[in-house]
């Protein structure tokens, strides 16, 4: 009996030992599995260990390996996805950077004057940064200064090394902010001959920290690229046989459109002089013929300032100014072009200030040209300051009847508040009892954009006829950089709505809006190289559709 009990006890002990060993093995196996599930970074190492362990439950082991592979694949895919996102993010950044606007330097030279046996001229430097990057401690190098003498310079330090002048900033303009423009660096340069003036580079090389960030011909490249883009979009305008006046006769206003003698829509495309008191030489028949034959212009605007120095109502020579207006009308008539007589209100703010002079002037002009089919009257260029539409309408109600007494049906353009931008103020209270009345809208593309177009569109939708009697493609100062994109948006709007337009200005003044290059002294027959960037753009625009 005792022997049997011993055998039983021994058997139980062996069973307990075997059970404990089995539990230990299973615990080890499941511990490994749990550890691998919690730490995927060691998956490949644990996978090898697991595959070397044999268990009775092969299906469970298969599931274990499958799970490990799935985890490993997910980890790899996640890493690939992260890498893909990093790459895409990098590409996006590069694409964004590539799509940024350019930064460039433009150097312009004004018309030279004789001085001490040689010549002097003003040279202006502009840095335009259309990019979203900022630059500091810049340096500009401009060639052509070997034999030049700098008489005066502002807003920059300089030294001349060899053929180059090296310009560096002063304290306030060391930093070139993103989306900015610096145009206040300039100098008076003395040279020996006129030819030396032409040797001054029209570009400039911009360096930051010794690294070139804008090549000397960057501005030229940008201009050429924009020109090619415009040419690709436009077709040459068909050349008409005969003159514009012969073909289209007396114009009138129908709805919001100008129509010709046949009742067909017609668009006036032209050029405005600068103030004829200051640039009288451009009022000549050859100039107008160049604009008609080479550019395709069909209209000239004669701008006669009223309240500035040399203005008609201040200290200007009234007889000389009226003679220039008359000459301009006569030249345009001989060439079969349309012509605007512009009473150029600006400094006077409110046209009522000089209403008595305006009454006498328009009485004389409308009487003189009552039988002309090509004369248009612009009775107040740009009312501004606190002048309201009510003020302007009061003036219009005085001047329009004076013109109508002599000329029953000429087109008359009425200015609008805020430098002829707020044409929408006319909607609720237009001039009544008169036909062939239009309302001015002026814009400068780098400043005035959708905000002014929306006002013009509101007026057109309300049946108010709009005439773009003055515009340019730079900023509202008449200077600064050109905004080609905004200019193209404006031209699309103008053409879609059959609006007539006149571009500022026919002169060689050293500013962006002048159509002739400042170093060109010719008053007609200009080649493309003798035009400013604005002049080249306008010529391309008028001659294309």
């Amino acid at each position: 009996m005792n022997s049997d009990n011993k055998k039983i006890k021994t058997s139980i002990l062996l069973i307990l030992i075997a059970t404990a060993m089995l539990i230990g093995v299973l615990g080890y196996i499941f511990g490994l599995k749990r550890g691998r599930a919690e730490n995927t970074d060691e998956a490949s190492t644990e996978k090898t260990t697991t595959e070397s362990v044999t268990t009775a439950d092969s299906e469970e082991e298969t599931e274990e390996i499958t799970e490990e592979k799935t985890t490993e694949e997910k980890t790899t895919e996640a890493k690939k996805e992260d890498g893909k996102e990093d790459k895409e993010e990098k590409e996006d950044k590069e694409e964004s950077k590539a799509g940024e606007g350019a930064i460039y330097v433009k150097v312009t030279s004004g018309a030279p004057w004789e001085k001490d046996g040689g010549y002097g001229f003003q040279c202006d430097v502009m840095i335009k940064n259309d990019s979203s990057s900022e630059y500091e401690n810049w340096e500009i190098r401009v060639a052509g200064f070997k034999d030049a003498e700098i008489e005066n310079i502002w807003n920059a330090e300089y030294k001349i090394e060899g053929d180059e002048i090296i310009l560096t900033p002063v304290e306030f303009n060391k930093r070139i902010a993103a989306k900015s423009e610096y145009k206040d660096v300039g100098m008076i340069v003395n040279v020996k001959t006129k030819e030396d003036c032409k040797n001054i580079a029209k570009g400039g090389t911009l360096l930051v920290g010794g690294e070139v960030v804008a090549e000397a011909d960057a501005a030229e490249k940008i201009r050429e690229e924009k020109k090619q883009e415009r040419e690709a979009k436009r077709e040459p305008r068909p050349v008409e046989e005969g003159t514009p006046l012969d073909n289209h006769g007396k114009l009138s206003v129908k709805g919001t459109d100008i129509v010709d003698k046949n009742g067909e829509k017609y668009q006036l495309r032209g050029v405005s002089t600068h103030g004829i008191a200051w640039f009288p030489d451009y009022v000549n028949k050859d100039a107008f013929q160049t604009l008609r034959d080479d550019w395709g212009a069909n209209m000239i605007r004669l701008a006669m300032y009223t309240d500035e120095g040399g203005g008609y109502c201040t200290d200007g020579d009234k007889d000389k100014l009226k003679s220039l207006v008359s000459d301009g009308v006569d030249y345009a008539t001989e060439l079969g072009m349309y012509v605007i007589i512009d009473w150029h209100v600006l400094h006077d703010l409110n046209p009522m200030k000089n209403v008595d002079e305006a009454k006498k002037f328009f009485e004389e002009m409308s009487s003189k040209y009552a039988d002309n089919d090509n004369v248009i009257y612009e009775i107040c260029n740009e009312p501004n300051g606190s002048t309201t539409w009510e003020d302007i309408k009061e003036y219009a109600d005085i001047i329009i009847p004076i013109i109508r007494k002599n000329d029953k049906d000429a087109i008359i353009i009425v200015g609008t508040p805020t430098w002829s931008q707020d044409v929408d103020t006319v909607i609720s209270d237009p001039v009544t009892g008169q036909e062939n009345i239009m309302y001015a809208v002026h814009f400068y593309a780098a400043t005035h954009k959708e905000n002014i177009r929306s006002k013009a569109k509101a007026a057109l939708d309300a049946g108010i006829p709009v005439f773009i009697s003055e515009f340019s493609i730079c900023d509202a100062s008449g200077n600064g950089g050109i905004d080609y994109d905004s200019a193209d948006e404006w031209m699309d709007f103008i053409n879609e709505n059959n609006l007539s337009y006149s571009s500022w200005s026919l002169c060689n003044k050293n500013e962006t809006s002048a159509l002739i290059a400042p170093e060109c002294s010719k008053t007609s027959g200009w080649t493309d190289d003798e035009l400013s960037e604005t002049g080249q753009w306008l010529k391309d625009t008028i001659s294309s559709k």
Side-chain angles (χ1 to χ4, degrees):
M1 188 69 182
N2 290 337
S3 175
D4 291 338
N5 289 338
K6 285 181 180 180
K7 289 180 180 179
I8 292 170
K9 287 180 181 180
T10 300
S11 298
I12 293 171
L13 180 60
L14 290 172
I15 291 170
L16 290 171
I17 292 170
T19 302
M21 291 177 64
L22 179 61
I23 291 172
V25 171
L26 292 175
Y28 175 73
I29 293 173
F30 287 116
L32 285 177
K33 181 177 178 181
R34 182 179 178 186
R36 286 191 295 271
E38 291 176 348
N39 188 356
T40 57
D41 290 339
E42 299 176 359
S44 59
T45 303
E46 304 297 350
K47 177 184 172 188
T48 303
T49 303
T50 303
E51 288 177 344
S52 65
V53 176
T54 303
T55 67
D57 194 18
S58 60
E59 291 182 0
E60 182 179 332
E61 182 64 18
T62 301
E63 288 176 2
E64 177 185 331
I65 294 170
T66 303
E67 282 185 15
E68 288 165 3
K69 287 181 179 179
T70 303
T71 302
E72 187 174 20
E73 288 170 357
K74 286 180 180 178
T75 302
T76 303
E77 289 173 2
K79 287 181 179 178
K80 286 181 179 179
E81 192 64 31
D82 288 342
K84 181 180 177 183
E85 288 176 0
D86 289 342
K87 183 179 178 182
E88 288 176 351
E89 184 178 353
K90 183 177 179 182
E91 289 175 350
D92 288 342
K93 286 179 179 178
E94 289 176 352
E95 184 178 348
S96 175
K97 185 176 180 181
E100 288 179 353
I103 178 169
Y104 66 90
V105 179
K106 178 182 175 185
V107 181
T108 56
S109 303
W113 61 84
E114 293 186 15
K115 182 178 181 182
D116 300 330
Y119 292 87
F121 62 93
Q122 180 171 321
C123 188
D124 293 294
V125 181
M126 179 186 74
I127 304 172
K128 185 171 178 62
N129 183 12
D130 281 335
S131 76
S132 58
S133 300
E134 295 183 353
Y135 299 90
E136 290 187 356
N137 296 319
W138 50 266
E139 175 184 301
I140 296 171
R141 294 175 177 260
V142 185
F145 282 80
K146 182 178 181 181
D147 299 317
E149 176 189 273
I150 308 303
E151 178 179 327
N152 188 21
I153 190 166
W154 49 93
N155 297 329
E157 302 289 345
Y158 82 96
K159 62 181 178 179
I160 294 178
E161 291 184 357
D163 186 47
E164 289 185 322
I165 187 170
I166 302 173
L167 303 171
T168 51
V170 293
E171 185 62 34
F172 82 92
N173 61 6
K174 287 184 178 179
R175 176 173 164 272
I176 305 171
K179 303 294 182 182
S180 66
E181 180 177 285
Y182 294 86
K183 58 186 178 183
D184 296 326
V185 174
M187 52 193 151
I188 302 298
V189 185
N190 296 328
V191 292
K192 295 176 181 178
T193 69
K194 270 192 176 180
E195 194 63 29
D196 291 333
C197 302
K198 297 178 182 178
N199 291 335
I200 302 298
K202 296 298 182 291
T205 303
L206 177 66
L207 298 94
V208 177
E211 180 182 350
V212 175
V213 296
E215 297 293 342
D217 59 351
E220 298 297 323
K221 287 180 179 178
I222 292 170
R223 182 176 70 183
E224 186 60 30
E225 288 170 2
K226 292 293 184 180
K227 183 177 179 180
Q228 291 175 1
E229 289 175 9
R230 293 194 301 274
E231 288 176 348
K233 290 193 301 184
R234 294 174 181 158
E235 300 175 17
R237 194 179 298 278
V239 178
E240 289 186 309
E241 295 293 333
T243 71
L245 186 58
D246 288 339
N247 294 332
H248 299 281
K250 195 170 187 67
L251 306 177
S252 58
V253 179
K254 183 178 181 181
T256 59
D257 291 303
I258 289 178
V259 297
D260 66 7
K261 65 181 180 180
N262 302 312
E264 297 178 353
K265 291 182 181 181
Y266 191 59
Q267 184 186 51
L268 292 171
R269 308 175 304 277
V271 171
S272 176
T273 68
H274 202 296
I276 57 175
W278 310 310
F279 294 93
D281 293 344
Y282 292 91
V283 182
N284 71 80
K285 186 175 179 180
D286 289 340
F288 294 1
Q289 185 163 0
T290 300
L291 296 173
R292 186 195 70 177
D293 295 348
D294 294 352
W295 297 36
N298 55 15
M299 180 262 290
I300 296 291
R301 179 184 187 238
L302 303 169
M304 189 187 74
Y305 280 76
T306 55
D307 203 62
E308 280 66 23
Y312 187 87
C313 301
T314 51
D315 56 350
D317 185 332
K318 285 185 171 65
D319 290 337
K320 182 179 179 180
L321 290 169
K322 284 191 290 187
S323 178
L324 281 168
V325 170
S326 296
D327 288 346
V329 173
D330 291 344
Y331 299 144
T333 303
E334 291 168 21
L335 293 166
M337 301 175 75
Y338 296 90
V339 59
I340 296 175
I341 297 175
D342 167 35
W343 183 257
H344 204 85
V345 170
L346 188 63
H347 185 261
D348 18 0
L349 309 182
N350 191 324
M352 288 298 291
K353 178 179 178 180
N354 293 308
V355 66
D356 291 337
E357 291 284 8
K359 287 160 65 175
K360 289 182 283 187
F361 177 81
F362 284 110
E363 167 66 38
E364 182 176 348
M365 291 296 155
S366 62
S367 177
K368 187 172 184 177
Y369 298 112
D371 295 330
N372 280 52
D373 288 343
N374 63 327
V375 175
I376 295 169
Y377 301 94
E378 186 170 3
I379 62 174
C380 52
N381 165 62
E382 288 184 355
N384 59 88
S386 60
T387 305
T388 64
W389 170 242
E390 288 73 19
D391 298 326
I392 300 166
K393 189 183 178 191
E394 178 186 0
Y395 169 82
D397 286 340
I398 296 169
I399 300 302
I400 292 174
I402 291 172
I403 296 173
R404 285 287 179 254
K405 183 179 67 175
N406 299 311
D407 194 330
K408 305 298 182 186
D409 48 13
I411 292 176
I412 297 174
I413 303 170
V414 183
T416 56
T418 318
W419 295 277
S420 286
Q421 294 170 36
D422 294 342
V423 69
D424 55 328
T425 60
V426 176
I427 295 173
S428 61
D429 188 24
V431 173
T432 57
Q434 301 286 350
E435 295 183 349
N436 295 327
I437 304 298
M438 303 189 78
Y439 301 89
V441 169
H442 293 179
F443 71 86
Y444 283 74
T447 302
H448 308 126
K449 302 187 180 185
E450 185 59 35
N451 58 325
I452 305 302
R453 283 196 297 276
S454 64
K455 294 182 179 186
K457 185 63 166 62
L460 291 167
D461 289 344
I464 302 296
V466 170
F467 197 117
I468 311 290
S469 56
E470 181 183 315
F471 80 97
S472 191
I473 59 177
C474 57
D475 67 37
S477 71
N479 210 350
I482 292 171
D483 190 331
Y484 286 109
D485 292 335
S486 177
D488 288 343
E489 287 175 1
W490 267 107
M491 289 313 303
D492 289 342
F493 177 80
I494 284 170
N495 292 325
E496 286 167 6
N497 291 281
N498 189 43
L499 303 182
S500 294
Y501 59 86
S502 175
S503 178
W504 186 264
S505 66
L506 182 61
C507 70
N508 69 340
K509 186 178 179 181
N510 191 21
E511 64 179 13
T512 311
S513 58
L515 302 177
I516 314 303
E519 64 271 16
C520 176
S521 58
K522 291 166 62 174
T523 57
S524 65
W526 311 282
T527 65
D528 284 356
D529 291 339
E530 292 167 332
L531 302 178
S532 67
E533 290 185 54
T534 301
Q536 292 193 28
W537 179 90
L538 184 67
K539 180 181 178 182
D540 293 343
T541 296
I542 292 178
S543 62
S544 304
K545 64 177 181 177

